[in-house]
Amino acid sequence: MQPNDVHAAWLPPEAFRAIGSRRTLVCGEGTLVDTVRAEVARACARYGGSVDRPPPRPASADRPAAGASYDLVLALVPAALLPVAAAAVDVGYRRRHGSGALGEEGFLLARHAEVTVVLAEAPAGLLYGLFHLVRLGESAFGLTRPTELHRPATRLRMLDHWDNVDVHPVMGQVERGYAGRSIFWRDGARRADLTRVGPYGRLLAACGVNAIAVNNVNVHATEARLLTDRLGDVAAIADLLRPYGVRVHLSVSFAAPVTLGGLPTADPLDDGVRAWWAEATRQVYETIPDFGGYLVKADSEGQPGPFGYGRSHADGANVLADALAPFGGVVRWRAFVYNHRQDWRDRSTDRARAAYDHFTPLDGRFRDNVILQVKHGPIDFQPREPVSPVLAAMPDTRLAVEFQVTQEYTGQQRHVCYLAPWWSEVLGYAPWGDDGPTVADVAAGGGLVGVSNVGDDPFWTGHPLAQANLYAFGRLAWDPRLDPVAVLDEWIGLTFAGSAPDASGIVRRTLHGIMDDSWRTYERYTAPLGVGFMVRPGDHYGPDVDGYEYSPWGTYHFADRDGVGVDRTRASGTGFTGQYPQPWRDVYESVERCPDELLLFFHHVPYGHRLHSGSTVIQHIYDTHFAGVEQVTAMRRRWEQLAGVVDAGLHARVRERLDEQVRCAEEWRDQVNAYFFRKSGVPDARGRRIP
Ligand code: GCV
């Protein structure tokens, strides 16, 4: 199942001990139920338990459905034949909820007459129920348990792989990938060895992810052909993921009718173009009947799109949506559209405004099976940004929120940076004020999408602790209200289930000490107060304060001798604050009320400006940069406590990465502090050395 030299991530065999040592009955048929049975059987082979199917005929008096002899029943309902305990739970469920409450993916967990019972109304629910039991371990079999009904908050919980088929001359095999090469593609073709794909699907199912896109949103010539003559490669991947309930999506090029179909145009209103998409899509479904849909990056960073034909993005998205509709597919259309050839001298153009300006006039004009996929912040996955105002401005459009699990701007899997607290803040943000819906509520209709951080690295994610981000993404997509620290605790419990039982306390303590606050630590030693983009141009790793300051990318901080920050107010700046509903449009507009952590995103202020924290901006910059490095040094010290406690290879890998994190954090501290000291001439109030 798991290639030997590959880390088991959050599914080591020891995580199945509680299930594997029990007597289990699995009732139901179908591919995903077979997966459940196989998982339980594998655990039993290791831990001495047993797994049965229900008897072939209805129970008779001399052969009741043997309820009493099972510790665990996993059953698809309605079922003709259920052991007594499961039947009782089923009756109770129906009395309370009627049928259908569990939906396509939900499950019910109950404990009755010393039997743990998981019921689902569809096979995927049973699979998710099984992995829930894995998370619970022994506590799933405790004396009493409250009955729990679990359903995902949103239907689409997916990962987009920015994997190229060809090795791109600049971006490589995986664009913004920090975990080795692609698990799907290699040097221009599908990998001959796809053995990582099944185990990957299993890991995804175990954290709640149910779909992936197999290629980069930047669709180059070879990747475009995955839609047509290379479709068999996509089908091969889909076959391996199907047993885990993970559906495959494809990034497609808007220009495909021209580049692949030989048509003279890709104009979405052209009949020939519509027919081409319809036929290409019919063939996709003939080959992959459970295909999920298309993902499109159009008119963005050089990708073709409807603007080229004088058409709107609604016209563009709808032609693909119409082709997919007969088969139940969706088109995810990215809202990441902005001018990447901006003149830095032009202070009126604001990249933060772009998605809202382009897309909100189109609200209500997209087909039902179009999902507009919006990056969570208005710029580009910086360690701190406000929530994108698009998420509060398109009530008649299905919206998905896009997170970046791959750590392009958050340490590139060389730095520990547990991102779930950040995502959780975004998901809990209430654009219309505390009593209104949250971002998670908005995303429920469209989905949650993460850019994958996985590659063919033996630890899957390069930095072993970056696995926690992947796990937490899935868990938050399933239930955005989960506490990110509790999710981390789950991840630790599962991942290190194989450590000696007496070691579990120190493993948990140490990892929480290192990871709980690691995103804020990262924020401290990088760009301050929400200003963003002080990274090295191109690869986006390490500091370069002015690297993007005079570039065409629209990402500036405007530091001068007096102050720093971007004036995005309505009163004197770009007017971006006006894209928010109340109360935020006024909160962000006001330099007094704007939250400290976003101050420089919204305002240009003098270095002596006093924050709510009481500190001045310049002193805050110095203090956070010194503190950030101290915290990273403490992380490295803490990690040493786990030498000899966790797997030696994993320990060595994390140690090597922490060394680099300390080095890089010092570089950030020194460059940022020196830059602002030289600009402002204000010394550090605490007299520390600034180079
Ligand atoms: C896939 C950022 C990244 C690009 C990425 C783009 C996107 O600009 O640096 O590598 O392209 O976002 O999200 O499309």
Side-chain angles (χ1 to χ4, degrees), residues 162 171 175-176 216-218 297 300-301 334 336 338 351 375 380-381 402 404 408-409 451 533 538 540 553:
W162 287 355
M171 291 298 171
E175 180 154 349
R176 310 305 180 186
N216 190 359
V217 288
N218 290 327
K297 170 175 176 176
S300 171
E301 299 185 333
R334 293 181 89 224
F336 185 59
Y338 70 100
R351 172 167 164 182
K375 288 193 183 189
D380 195 3
F381 299 135
E402 186 177 301
Q404 197 177 40
E408 176 178 1
Y409 296 102
V451 182
F533 265 100
H540 298 166
W553 293 93

Side-chain angles (χ1 to χ4, degrees), residues 11 44 54 67 82 88 126 175 214 233 254 285 303 318 356 382 386 390 393 409 452 520 544 549 586 630 654 671 687:
L11 291 180
C44 290
L82 279 181
L126 213 59
E175 180 154 349
V214 294
D233 294 339
F254 190 76
Y285 279 90
Q303 293 293 307
N318 289 344
Y356 181 105
Q382 297 306 290
V390 176
Y409 296 102
S452 166
R520 288 197 177 80
D544 186 344
E549 199 55 16
D586 285 353
E630 279 163 25
V654 174
Q671 286 207 25

Side-chain angles (χ1 to χ4, degrees), residues 86 139 219 232 247 279 327 337 340 458 522 528 538 598 662:
S139 68
V219 183
R247 291 168 80 173
E279 176 54 18
F327 309 98
V337 177
H340 70 287
Y522 186 83
L598 289 171
V662 171

Side-chain angles (χ1 to χ4, degrees), residues 560-588:
D560 57 24
R561 65 175 188 173
D562 300 318
V564 56
V566 190
D567 184 354
R568 293 194 159 105
T569 62
R570 309 192 280 291
S572 52
T574 68
F576 172 67
T577 59
Q579 293 186 341
Y580 289 86
Q582 292 291 19
W584 294 105
R585 58 191 282 126
D586 285 353
V587 171
Y588 293 144

Side-chain angles (χ1 to χ4, degrees), residues 597-620:
E597 66 274 11
L598 289 171
L599 183 70
L600 303 184
F601 193 94
F602 286 105
H603 298 274
H604 186 90
V605 296
Y607 292 117
H609 175 87
R610 218 159 266 287
L611 299 168
H612 297 115
S613 69
S615 184
T616 59
V617 165
I618 189 74
Q619 193 56 41
H620 173 94

